[in-house]
Amino acid sequence: MKQNTLKLNTGASIPQLGFGTWQINPSSRAEKATLAAFEAGYRHVDTARVYLNEKGVGHAIKNSTLPREDIFLTTKLWRGEKNVAKALDKSLKRLDQDYVDLYLMHWPQDDRIEAWKVMEQLHKDGTAKAIGVSNFTVRHLTELMEQTDIVPAINQVEFHPFLYQKELLEFCNKHGIIVEAYSPLAHGSKLADPTIVEVATHYDKSPAQIMIRWAVEHDMVVIPKSKNPERIAQNLDVLDFKIDKNDMALLDNLNEDLRTCWDPTNAA
Ligand code: A2P
């Protein structure tokens, strides 16, 4: 299956659809699910220190027959880690990798400016081919860009029709930061919403496929997650149709500021 890619501000390409692995535990299960994702055609996998499954994702990469350069791998710095360089080194050891394609600061942590400066160095050293952030608001991004040199390549945030963060998306677009949508299915909580079901029926697609396609139409990277091989494959199968303007407007109107994960609005 041919994958859509987007261009990062480093010049590298990122597959628009990635496989999310949050809550896929333990590592043996993450390995199985990631292998199913590679089998289905995903070439982009997203993990994090705090997901406690980097080992499993690393095993899947080693045990797949795919060349490493065909896979886009992301992991994240957890906020409790004081030594940022060591934290990446430990992640690389667990992943059994020499580099990641993307290293994200998982949260706007208190010492984020100092931590970002170390991440800039890791990028220059080549162990993090690109660097970005997660759960950053416009305020956090503005502050970071004022005080540091490298503009984040990615801001990974919760994003779906029920949390349509239009202002954040426009801000990121303006600064060449790609928004990456996590929990694009609102954690599975909105798949029976009448508007989602109506639009899904219109295109003969599943509600999950409509929510994922909505994010694709907004030019975001999207990382749905599933433990089930059929749903893993289904979530990637969203490139053979387009949602028309009227239906996009219907979906855009579903916003209710619903957060199913964390709310970083008041993170100091
Ligand atoms: P499962 O792992 O059993 O498939 P999100 O990515 O927004 O956090 O959503 C993940 C949740 O949505 C999980 O509970 C997952 O369950 C479920 N899910 C993932 N893909 C689909 C799908 N295509 N149809 C229905 N539920 C799905």
Side-chain angles (χ1 to χ4, degrees):
M1 196 185 306
K2 186 83 187 87
Q3 285 280 313
N4 272 9
T5 58
L6 298 179
K7 255 259 180 293
L8 297 175
N9 62 9
T10 58
S13 293
I14 180 169
Q16 195 171 10
L17 286 156
F19 181 59
T21 65
W22 180 43
Q23 293 180 330
I24 306 188
N25 266 309
S27 266
S28 55
R29 191 177 223 183
E31 178 181 354
K32 231 168 119 188
T34 306
L35 279 168
F38 289 150
E39 181 73 21
Y42 291 79
R43 294 294 179 266
H44 168 185
V45 56
D46 180 274
T47 180
R49 162 71 185 119
V50 78
Y51 301 169
L52 301 176
N53 61 14
E54 286 171 311
K55 264 197 170 146
V57 170
H59 282 157
I61 293 172
K62 292 277 158 167
N63 293 335
S64 77
T65 52
L66 298 168
R68 171 65 184 88
E69 59 274 19
D70 287 4
I71 298 169
F72 191 99
L73 172 64
T74 301
T75 196
K76 310 185 192 84
L77 169 73
W78 188 235
R79 54 179 143 161
E81 304 273 9
K82 285 291 160 228
N83 186 325
V84 177
K86 216 181 216 170
L88 176 58
D89 194 49
K90 284 199 255 171
S91 279
L92 289 173
K93 286 207 168 72
R94 281 186 293 270
L95 287 160
D96 195 13
Q97 297 292 321
D98 301 326
Y99 70 92
V100 287
D101 296 281
L102 179 63
Y103 196 43
L104 298 179
M105 188 184 302
H106 210 145
W107 183 258
Q109 56 193 55
D110 292 348
D111 58 350
R112 54 189 173 266
I113 302 297
E114 291 72 31
W116 184 255
K117 288 180 179 167
V118 182
M119 288 173 66
E120 290 181 330
Q121 190 54 48
L122 297 172
H123 172 56
K124 286 176 193 147
D125 295 345
T127 42
K129 300 285 180 205
I131 52 175
V133 294
S134 182
N135 296 299
F136 272 47
T137 63
V138 168
R139 172 172 62 86
H140 299 122
L141 287 168
T142 305
E143 177 210 67
L144 187 74
M145 288 192 293
E146 275 168 6
Q147 297 185 43
T148 63
D149 295 333
I150 300 180
V151 175
I154 288 271
N155 184 23
Q156 186 187 111
V157 294
E158 182 175 351
F159 213 115
H160 44 71
F162 304 90
L163 181 59
Y164 180 19
Q165 304 193 62
K166 199 160 186 269
E167 188 204 351
L168 178 65
L169 181 62
E170 283 169 1
F171 178 90
C172 287
N173 285 343
K174 189 170 139 206
H175 292 280
I177 302 167
I178 289 179
V179 174
E180 184 170 349
Y182 77 66
S183 287
L185 307 176
H187 223 57
S189 66
K190 287 289 190 180
L191 296 170
D193 175 88
T195 304
I196 298 285
V197 172
E198 182 193 322
V199 176
T201 309
H202 184 173
Y203 295 94
D204 198 18
K205 291 284 174 184
S206 74
Q209 287 172 317
I210 292 302
M211 291 181 76
I212 295 165
R213 182 73 211 186
W214 175 82
V216 168
E217 301 282 355
H218 277 299
D219 295 325
M220 287 183 268
V221 169
V222 199
I223 50 165
K225 66 174 168 294
S226 173
K227 298 183 201 79
N228 174 285
E230 273 164 37
R231 290 193 283 278
I232 288 172
Q234 181 197 118
N235 294 344
L236 188 66
D237 185 19
V238 297
L239 300 176
D240 63 343
F241 76 109
K242 275 187 166 301
I243 302 177
D244 71 28
K245 244 172 90 189
N246 292 342
D247 286 329
M248 280 302 283
L250 276 180
L251 297 171
D252 286 353
N253 270 328
L254 290 175
N255 182 44
E256 52 187 59
D257 294 332
L258 171 73
R259 292 189 187 266
T260 64
C261 303
W262 296 318
D263 185 354
T265 311
N266 296 320

